[in-house]
Amino acid sequence: MALVVQKYGGSSVQDADRIKKVAERIVRTRKEGHDVVVVVSAMGDTTDDLTDLARQISPAPPAREMDMLLTAGERISNALVAMAIHALGADARSFTGSQAGMLTTSKHGDARIVQVNPGRLRNALDEGSIVLVAGFQGMSEDSKDITTLGRGGSDTTAVALAAALEADVCEIYTDVDGVFSADPRIVPDAAHLDTITYEEMLEMAACGAKVLHLRAVEYARRYNVPLRVRCSYNEKPGTLVAGSIEEIPLENPIITGVAHDRSEGKITITGVPDTPGMAARIFRTVADAEINIDMVLQNVSHSGDQHTDITFSLPRTDGPTAVAALERVKSEIGFAEVIYDPEVGKVSLVGAGMRNHPGVTATFCEALSDAGINIETMNTSEIRISVICRVDQLDDAVRALHEAFELGGDEQAVVHAGTGR
Amino acid sequence: MALVVQKYGGSSVQDADRIKKVAERIVRTRKEGHDVVVVVSAMGDTTDDLTDLARQISPAPPAREMDMLLTAGERISNALVAMAIHALGADARSFTGSQAGMLTTSKHGDARIVQVNPGRLRNALDEGSIVLVAGFQGMSEDSKDITTLGRGGSDTTAVALAAALEADVCEIYTDVDGVFSADPRIVPDAAHLDTITYEEMLEMAACGAKVLHLRAVEYARRYNVPLRVRCSYNEKPGTLVAGSIEEIPLENPIITGVAHDRSEGKITITGVPDTPGMAARIFRTVADAEINIDMVLQNVSHSGDQHTDITFSLPRTDGPTAVAALERVKSEIGFAEVIYDPEVGKVSLVGAGMRNHPGVTATFCEALSDAGINIETMNTSEIRISVICRVDQLDDAVRALHEAFELGGDEQAVVHAGTGR
């Protein structure tokens, strides 16, 4: 008998019929003899609908109250799934984040899990019950207020529970069959991956692969929780995220996949005085506006000139805020201009094997060049190469890299509709 | 500076515009220098919508999960009102029932308040914040599960908070201007009551007056909380519910008002053996089916006959269940027949003065007789007379009694649309 944590996204529970289907799968897992803990996101568009309602009432609702509001969505969906399980003759109990002992920091809207005290869940499991936990939410350790975990919060809830309960596996149910070597909507012969290491999955998620959220993968890696990404609509085994790149055999493929991200913008600051501390002042300005920057490129100073250019990418939604913050310090820092470009995309190649194989970067650049794609900014890690290009060339870039590294599979991937939180 | 508890029903917060109006009233009260604690019901039809969703999933959803589901409605409305208050520049914090220290029994769907520990609310008030509490809900003292308080739960929440915080007044906002001498939709010149005692209000509420829920009035009387019933849509002072019938001056009017109830049914059991214990066995049968009976009439045994008839009224929704339970014990108890009559109505006259004034019953019966209304069953308390009649004669009965006791006011009452929980 194993302990299995399952997480279902909002599209998997968007109406009564889907909720019943999810309940059937949960009860089946229980009947196979496993203890089951389930984390469910809010139904379909609930979170968006509640957010709209809040905006009708206040242009800037207080974050504490937004958390009180939004967490109602997961309460509803979890209670309904519990009812559906009961209707199938099994015992189920739903718990809120605070009842589940999910203690967090007090940063409303983007809290971090500090500690998980799953005593009540353990008791319910010992009594033979299936346990449901409202995802995305917790309780501030300090203020005892209700908090939310931000984007991907339900995935993080599931992984944190799996870690605290020492579960055998944490299954993340979604609308795709697992992790692929590229987005099957762009690359029809994208190969299904049976396994992927935590590090590679982290790079993929950080570079735009939407199947898993970065924080959930980070959490899984830290606590060594095996993650299995599966589809809600079939019985395929999905993709196992586990293990370290240090452990994988050398004969494994060099490259794992191609990720892409359409959600970034690019800011270039020209004529920055080439004196110590200038870059720091620029990035401090952006950080003070609570914006995370992604790739950074500082060009070398032109000979004879005492100025340089700094380029960085950032979430496109933060673009206007960053520009406004930088304009305010323009004269103080003494740079020439802030240029904002929202028309960029990022394509990344990820693979644990590239550490030991020279020539990957060369092949990468040749493939893009052959496809007529100009590289605007490049950035690498030990197991990843990312570049910024024009957003309208992004799909071509993904296909060119996927082909150049021969990542294609034997069959076409099935694409299902809808996504969860 | 006073401490004011305000309760708003579901129709007062049914959309963003109404929520803003409610917030304005709350902020106005705060600006007058009072500490304000607010209890809000779920928005408009939220509770019905969630109940429908549950029925789609399970014909008999577990009560624990229904409570988890339904309490989300008050979370949503309270958070939204808090946002609307913030938008007006005042500070507000919303709390769930358990955060507000509302400890209850563990009977899901119909829990009783055991204790209120308002420490967090007191702290928030001391910090100058307006406090919002999700109505209708609490936490089981034993199991720590979320519970609901049943019908009128938000009124009860407000009164219990007022008692625990030793509030100066508990204002119940509704869609009428207060308590009237009869339902203004039936009696256009029904008189507005400026004050009414707890005992009279209890009798009115028990006899069908919908403006306040019985449990809330009982709670208010026990803890001596002054209740003020006011209209959400105007500034009129409403009706004050306070004081005991022992304290009211003798020159006060004898009769307070006429209440009516259209929600009852009547069961007659014929040919019951006239031996000790038979009535007890019948009422135990009904009680075991968890049905509350209202008025009871046992006719005297006919001379020479060893059998009697027993008649009682009960909520019409419980009628079929009661009949089925009684049919099952028919041969065991040995009665002749169970006759169920759903076409009945109950009209009641309430007044603290009737204790000291003989002749009220006679006038009562004459008035109904003159209006051609047959009395089927009669029942009295110290300050109330109730009778069962045909439901299609109920409005005539209300008008006849209202006129006979000269209860009419000088102006016509305004009837607003909608009701809250």
Side-chain angles (χ1 to χ4, degrees):
Chain A
M1 189 171 93
L3 172 53
V4 179
V5 175
Q6 299 185 331
K7 180 260 170 179
Y8 294 91
S11 63
S12 302
V13 292
Q14 69 183 22
D15 56 33
D17 285 340
R18 290 233 177 144
I19 285 174
K20 290 179 192 173
K21 289 272 181 230
V22 162
E24 284 167 16
R25 184 185 285 270
I26 294 167
V27 171
R28 210 156 56 229
T29 309
R30 177 82 189 98
K31 286 196 174 151
E32 285 164 6
H34 306 306
D35 280 341
V36 189
V37 175
V38 179
V39 175
V40 181
S41 298
M43 293 170 74
D45 299 326
T46 307
T47 304
D48 290 343
D49 292 347
L50 290 173
T51 304
D52 284 352
L53 203 47
R55 304 279 167 202
Q56 283 175 44
I57 283 167
S58 169
R64 180 189 183 281
E65 300 303 327
M66 276 305 282
D67 282 356
M68 176 69 85
L69 178 74
L70 295 182
T71 49
E74 280 77 14
R75 258 187 185 211
I76 291 170
S77 56
N78 279 268
L80 291 172
V81 173
M83 292 174 190
I85 292 171
H86 264 266
L88 295 172
D91 188 26
R93 266 175 263 176
S94 69
F95 296 90
T96 65
S98 37
Q99 289 179 335
M102 196 67 64
L103 297 182
T104 72
T105 59
S106 25
K107 189 175 180 198
H108 287 290
D110 196 26
R112 292 287 176 275
I113 296 171
V114 175
Q115 199 182 333
V116 184
N117 300 323
R120 291 182 71 176
L121 310 187
R122 183 75 76 184
N123 290 344
L125 289 171
D126 290 347
E127 288 164 31
S129 186
I130 292 167
V131 164
L132 291 121
V133 178
F136 175 64
Q137 59 188 263
M139 182 175 76
S140 158
E141 199 177 25
D142 296 335
S143 68
K144 311 294 178 207
D145 284 332
I146 290 156
T147 53
T148 61
L149 304 177
R151 281 201 59 197
S154 289
D155 285 8
T156 309
T157 301
V159 175
L161 288 173
L165 292 164
E166 297 178 337
D168 296 274
V169 65
C170 178
E171 299 180 336
I172 307 285
Y173 284 90
T174 177
D175 48 9
V176 292
D177 289 341
V179 185
F180 286 80
S181 60
D183 185 337
R185 283 167 295 195
I186 298 176
V187 182
D189 71 336
H192 179 267
L193 306 179
D194 294 335
T195 62
I196 184 171
T197 62
Y198 292 120
E199 292 94 329
E200 289 169 304
M201 193 63 235
L202 278 175
E203 294 282 8
M204 294 283 279
C207 293
K210 296 205 167 44
V211 65
L212 280 176
H213 287 278
L214 191 57
R215 282 171 62 190
V217 183
E218 282 172 343
Y219 209 107
R221 179 170 72 161
R222 190 177 337 145
Y223 292 97
N224 210 22
V225 174
L227 282 181
R228 188 172 284 282
V229 184
R230 299 182 68 177
C231 180
S232 307
Y233 312 124
N234 62 44
E235 295 300 318
K236 293 184 184 172
T239 299
L240 180 68
V241 184
S244 162
I245 55 171
E246 308 300 337
E247 302 157 3
I248 56 175
L250 277 178
E251 64 269 29
N252 263 36
I254 299 167
I255 303 299
T256 303
V258 182
H260 69 279
D261 192 343
R262 247 180 262 280
S263 68
E264 296 210 335
K266 185 176 81 165
I267 285 178
T268 302
I269 302 158
T270 64
V272 181
D274 198 4
T275 53
M278 282 304 150
R281 284 169 70 181
I282 284 171
F283 292 124
R284 172 58 55 203
T285 302
V286 178
D288 286 347
E290 303 227 350
I291 292 166
N292 289 314
I293 62 170
D294 180 24
M295 293 169 63
V296 178
L297 182 79
Q298 179 167 359
N299 293 348
V300 291
S301 198
H302 305 295
S303 67
D305 189 359
Q306 295 305 307
H307 294 82
T308 183
D309 297 344
I310 292 179
T311 296
F312 61 90
S313 66
L314 76 176
R316 196 178 300 146
T317 47
D318 290 333
T321 311
V323 171
L326 288 166
E327 289 289 359
R328 280 196 292 276
V329 296
K330 183 175 172 179
S331 58
E332 185 202 325
I333 298 181
F335 58 77
E337 217 180 343
V338 181
I339 303 164
Y340 177 55
D341 181 355
E343 298 291 314
V344 299
K346 185 172 79 168
V347 61
S348 304
L349 188 73
V350 174
M354 71 171 72
R355 302 175 295 165
N356 311 313
H357 288 78
V360 170
T361 308
T363 308
F364 184 102
C365 294
E366 284 159 12
L368 293 185
S369 168
D370 290 350
I373 293 156
N374 188 42
I375 296 172
E376 303 189 11
T377 308
M378 179 182 275
N379 174 303
T380 65
S381 81
E382 195 185 26
I383 61 168
R384 174 187 52 80
I385 307 171
S386 299
V387 299
I388 295 275
C389 66
R390 291 292 90 202
V391 72
D392 58 11
Q393 292 187 312
L394 190 61
D395 289 1
D396 287 342
V398 171
R399 282 188 283 263
L401 292 172
H402 199 265
E403 202 181 324
F405 289 94
E406 297 173 346
L407 302 176
D410 300 331
E411 48 186 326
Q412 296 227 335
V414 179
V415 179
H416 305 278
T419 55
R421 174 150 73 194
Chain B
M1 187 171 95
L3 172 53
V4 179
V5 175
Q6 299 185 331
K7 181 261 170 178
Y8 295 91
S11 63
S12 302
V13 291
Q14 69 183 23
D15 56 33
D17 286 339
R18 291 233 176 143
I19 285 174
K20 289 179 192 172
K21 291 272 180 230
V22 162
E24 283 167 17
R25 184 184 285 270
I26 294 167
V27 171
R28 210 156 56 229
T29 310
R30 177 82 190 99
K31 286 196 174 152
E32 285 163 6
H34 306 306
D35 279 341
V36 189
V37 174
V38 179
V39 176
V40 181
S41 298
M43 293 171 74
D45 300 325
T46 307
T47 304
D48 290 344
D49 292 346
L50 290 174
T51 304
D52 284 352
L53 203 48
R55 304 279 168 205
Q56 284 175 43
I57 283 166
S58 168
R64 179 190 184 280
E65 300 303 326
M66 275 306 281
D67 283 356
M68 175 69 85
L69 178 75
L70 295 181
T71 49
E74 280 76 14
R75 257 188 186 212
I76 290 170
S77 57
N78 278 269
L80 291 171
V81 173
M83 291 176 191
I85 293 171
H86 264 267
L88 295 172
D91 189 25
R93 264 173 264 177
S94 69
F95 296 90
T96 65
S98 38
Q99 289 179 336
M102 196 66 65
L103 297 183
T104 73
T105 59
S106 25
K107 189 176 179 196
H108 287 290
D110 195 25
R112 293 287 177 273
I113 296 171
V114 175
Q115 199 184 332
V116 184
N117 299 323
R120 290 183 72 175
L121 311 187
R122 184 75 77 184
N123 290 343
L125 289 171
D126 290 347
E127 288 164 29
S129 185
I130 293 167
V131 164
L132 291 122
V133 178
F136 173 66
Q137 58 187 264
M139 182 174 76
S140 158
E141 199 178 23
D142 296 335
S143 68
K144 312 295 178 208
D145 283 331
I146 290 155
T147 53
T148 62
L149 304 177
R151 280 200 60 197
S154 289
D155 286 8
T156 309
T157 301
V159 175
L161 288 174
L165 291 164
E166 298 177 337
D168 295 274
V169 65
C170 178
E171 298 181 336
I172 307 285
Y173 284 90
T174 176
D175 46 10
V176 293
D177 289 342
V179 185
F180 286 81
S181 59
D183 185 336
R185 282 167 296 194
I186 297 175
V187 183
D189 72 337
H192 179 265
L193 306 179
D194 294 335
T195 61
I196 184 170
T197 62
Y198 292 121
E199 292 94 328
E200 290 168 304
M201 193 64 235
L202 278 175
E203 293 282 9
M204 295 283 277
C207 293
K210 296 205 168 46
V211 65
L212 279 176
H213 286 278
L214 191 57
R215 281 171 62 190
V217 183
E218 281 172 344
Y219 209 108
R221 178 169 73 160
R222 189 178 336 149
Y223 292 97
N224 211 20
V225 173
L227 282 182
R228 189 171 282 283
V229 184
R230 299 182 69 176
C231 180
S232 307
Y233 312 124
N234 62 43
E235 295 300 316
K236 293 185 185 170
T239 300
L240 180 68
V241 184
S244 162
I245 56 171
E246 308 300 339
E247 301 158 6
I248 58 176
L250 277 177
E251 62 270 28
N252 263 35
I254 299 167
I255 302 300
T256 303
V258 182
H260 69 278
D261 192 343
R262 247 180 261 279
S263 67
E264 296 210 333
K266 185 176 80 164
I267 285 179
T268 302
I269 302 159
T270 64
V272 181
D274 198 4
T275 52
M278 282 302 150
R281 284 169 70 181
I282 284 170
F283 293 125
R284 171 59 56 204
T285 302
V286 178
D288 286 347
E290 303 225 352
I291 292 166
N292 290 314
I293 62 170
D294 181 23
M295 293 168 63
V296 178
L297 181 79
Q298 180 165 1
N299 293 348
V300 292
S301 198
H302 305 294
S303 67
D305 190 358
Q306 295 306 306
H307 293 84
T308 183
D309 296 344
I310 291 177
T311 296
F312 61 90
S313 66
L314 75 176
R316 196 177 301 144
T317 45
D318 291 332
T321 312
V323 170
L326 288 166
E327 290 289 359
R328 279 196 293 274
V329 297
K330 183 175 172 178
S331 57
E332 185 202 326
I333 298 180
F335 57 79
E337 217 181 342
V338 181
I339 303 164
Y340 178 54
D341 180 355
E343 297 292 313
V344 299
K346 185 171 79 169
V347 62
S348 305
L349 187 73
V350 174
M354 70 170 73
R355 299 176 297 164
N356 312 313
H357 287 78
V360 170
T361 308
T363 310
F364 184 100
C365 294
E366 284 160 12
L368 293 185
S369 168
D370 290 349
I373 292 157
N374 187 42
I375 296 172
E376 304 189 10
T377 309
M378 179 182 275
N379 175 303
T380 64
S381 82
E382 196 185 24
I383 61 169
R384 175 186 52 79
I385 307 172
S386 300
V387 300
I388 295 275
C389 66
R390 291 292 90 200
V391 70
D392 57 10
Q393 292 187 311
L394 190 60
D395 289 2
D396 287 342
V398 171
R399 282 187 285 262
L401 292 172
H402 198 266
E403 202 181 325
F405 289 93
E406 297 174 347
L407 301 176
D410 299 331
E411 48 186 324
Q412 297 228 332
V414 179
V415 179
H416 304 277
T419 55
R421 176 152 72 194

